[in-house]
Amino acid sequence: MNWLLVVCGAMFGAPLRYLTDRAVQARHDSVFPWGTFAVNVTGCLVLGLLTGAATHLQLLLGTGLCGALTTYSTFSYETLRLAETGARLQAALNAGVSVAAGLAAAFAGAALAGM
């Protein structure tokens, strides 16, 4: 039955990722992948918040929703494309800032959950 929680969470996470990515990216006239950055950092915050949650919430929201919402493969692809098109500074910033912001969001979520 646990798999059903993961599927239900993913049913919302995937469209939420797509819609959020498009909405955020449409507001920026930049080659920087702000949409992917936003969904990944948000997912890290949610996962941090779920650190002490019951197992069923972790499966539904952590594995299901956040698993479908966040995307390491798109982050990697977009960073590679930036580097290949000569936007090396943006590629380096995307890699460094994404990792730092994701970790900060996860720690912040865990701290908020512990309050």
Side-chain angles (χ1 to χ4, degrees):
M1 198 56 140
N2 289 344
W3 64 271
L4 190 55
L5 291 169
V6 175
V7 169
C8 288
M11 285 183 351
F12 291 98
L16 184 60
R17 173 180 170 254
Y18 175 77
L19 294 171
T20 303
D21 176 67
R22 295 294 87 210
V24 170
Q25 203 60 41
R27 289 175 167 56
H28 297 278
D29 187 26
S30 167
V31 296
F32 193 84
W34 288 109
T36 302
F37 179 80
V39 296
N40 285 343
V41 172
T42 301
C44 290
L45 177 65
V46 172
L47 282 173
L49 286 167
L50 291 170
T51 55
T55 302
H56 64 280
L57 276 179
Q58 288 179 345
L59 289 170
L60 177 69
L61 300 177
T63 305
L65 181 81
C66 290
L69 175 68
T70 60
T71 172
Y72 191 75
S73 58
T74 301
F75 156 73
S76 300
Y77 171 76
E78 289 171 345
T79 304
L80 175 66
R81 293 296 301 150
L82 286 169
E84 287 178 344
T85 60
R88 287 183 169 73
L89 177 60
Q90 287 91 342
L93 284 172
N94 188 40
V97 173
S98 291
V99 171
L103 287 170
F107 277 102
L112 286 170
M115 295 180 135

